[in-house]
Amino acid sequence: AKQALGLQMTVPWEDLAQDFIDGKLPTIGDYCDHLLGWWQMRDDPHFLFLKYEDMKKDLRGHVVKIADFLGRSLSDEQTDEVTENCTFSAMKGNPATNMSLDPAMHEKMYKCSEGTGIEFMRKGQVGDWKNWFTPKQLKIFEDFHSEKMADIDLTFPDE
């Protein structure tokens, strides 16, 4: 049975990938519509739209950007500390940011994902999502994404 946040769902990867394409994701429905709703707000001065791919390229610059957005001034030392604590490896090793390190959450997560290879925080590599797809699934997804996002100037570089 599917439930919110995927914490009590045992769904084969193939079914989850199809649910994504069909717009039937638990809690958000159609991911592209969900994303586009936020993308439309990108120029609102009360909203900051960030992409993981961009943060991977320049984490420190994004820490500064977020601090500026929040109206906070950070010293170089504070910026360095925040940047270090926001690296993927630091966050993956921190129980406050990686719910799979919390014993209660670990039990819930791994009960539903046992044997699937799914982790809350996997590798932190841009573009690694493609490795979950078979060549046929990847072609279906890329065709779907191209059609759904054709008129939108939002891109997600793989490197």
Side-chain angles (χ1 to χ4, degrees):
K2 297 178 185 178
Q3 292 196 2
L5 300 177
L7 292 180
Q8 294 185 10
M9 59 192 297
T10 304
V11 179
W13 166 249
E14 296 76 15
D15 293 349
L16 187 59
Q18 190 62 51
D19 284 352
F20 184 97
I21 288 173
D22 293 342
K24 297 178 181 177
L25 289 179
T27 72
I28 65 168
D30 186 306
Y31 175 78
C32 292
D33 289 346
H34 174 80
L35 179 64
L36 294 176
W38 295 110
W39 181 242
Q40 292 170 350
M41 296 176 58
R42 68 190 177 281
D43 296 323
D44 182 319
H46 302 100
F47 181 79
L48 181 61
F49 191 97
L50 302 172
K51 296 188 295 184
Y52 182 76
E53 295 83 355
D54 296 336
M55 289 189 290
K56 284 292 286 187
K57 286 181 183 174
D58 181 16
L59 182 56
R60 191 176 201 288
H62 279 75
V63 167
V64 170
K65 185 176 189 172
I66 293 165
D68 289 346
F69 176 76
L70 295 173
R72 300 296 301 253
S73 178
L74 299 177
S75 68
D76 286 343
E77 183 178 295
Q78 290 171 317
T79 302
D80 291 342
E81 182 178 358
V82 171
T83 301
E84 178 54 37
N85 285 320
C86 289
T87 63
F88 182 82
S89 60
M91 291 181 72
K92 187 169 184 172
N94 183 343
T97 53
N98 185 354
M99 68 178 169
S100 61
L101 297 178
D102 175 288
M105 291 303 291
H106 179 84
E107 182 179 339
K108 287 180 183 180
M109 281 189 65
Y110 288 97
K111 185 182 291 182
C112 73
S113 63
E114 189 174 337
T116 65
I118 295 173
E119 299 176 61
F120 181 67
M121 297 179 78
R122 295 185 342 256
K123 297 179 183 177
Q125 296 174 346
V126 171
D128 184 60
W129 61 271
K130 289 183 177 185
N131 294 325
W132 284 79
F133 289 89
T134 65
K136 181 180 177 183
Q137 290 171 333
L138 185 57
K139 170 86 170 96
I140 291 169
F141 178 81
E142 288 176 338
D143 289 348
F144 158 79
H145 186 265
S146 294
E147 179 182 324
K148 189 81 172 180
M149 305 292 281
D151 299 325
I152 310 302
D153 62 341
L154 175 61
T155 60
F156 296 94
D158 287 340
E159 296 178 19

